[in-house]
Amino acid sequence: MDKKLQVEAIEQGTVIDHIPAGQGIKILRFLKLADASKRLTIGLNLPTKNDGAKDLIKVADTIFSEEQANQLALFAPTATINVIENYAVVRKFQVAQPKSIHGVFSCPNSNCITHSESVPSYFYVRQAHGQIKLKCHYCEKSFATSLFTELKD
Ligand SMILES: [Zn+2]
């Protein structure tokens, strides 16, 4: 079995490219939380053309919607999404910072009403001092993306 080939090509799915080095693990964690059965391949600290480093994740058999792809912008604003079909890139786009995120994450505030009432979570995305924060619509608290360790069911 050619291991290299297995890492480098997927028949169909999504390649998340140009993830800032170090952020790949966070995206991996997020994707794993969202769906533990996803088949993922990750490359860390891959060299880029301009002597930098990047992370890259391949997700087999999964095509992200634009909304799903944009959630990744919380962790990697510069990421590009490559949609793969039959081993070829059929669509390529850059993730965009979403204005809000609905029903994805659980509010990190355990006293938030979203934990006792069955309402979908709702966060506004804010950027302050180069850091992305999510502000809960219900409890109005702001949180760094690193605090989002649970997804809402
Ligand atoms: Zn809240």
Side-chain angles (χ1 to χ4, degrees), residues 107 109 112-114 123 136 138-140 143:
C107 184
N109 171 13
C112 181
I113 191 165
T114 53
F123 295 95
C136 177
Y138 295 97
C139 66
E140 298 190 327
F143 306 95

Side-chain angles (χ1 to χ4, degrees), residues 115-133:
H115 294 291
S116 49
E117 306 274 323
S118 66
V119 288
S121 67
Y122 194 121
F123 295 95
Y124 303 100
V125 180
R126 297 264 185 280
Q127 202 160 358
H129 312 292
Q131 236 213 341
I132 296 166
K133 296 208 162 176

Side-chain angles (χ1 to χ4, degrees), residues 19-61:
I19 302 166
Q23 294 296 103
I25 293 291
K26 288 182 193 169
I27 291 184
L28 193 68
R29 202 174 138 62
F30 172 67
L31 294 172
K32 277 279 175 203
L33 281 169
D35 179 1
S37 67
K38 276 194 175 76
R39 197 149 52 84
L40 304 168
T41 310
I42 186 162
L44 298 176
N45 290 314
L46 304 173
T48 60
K49 279 181 213 132
N50 47 10
D51 286 335
K54 66 174 184 179
D55 294 345
L56 177 148
I57 298 174
K58 298 184 179 195
V59 190
D61 303 321

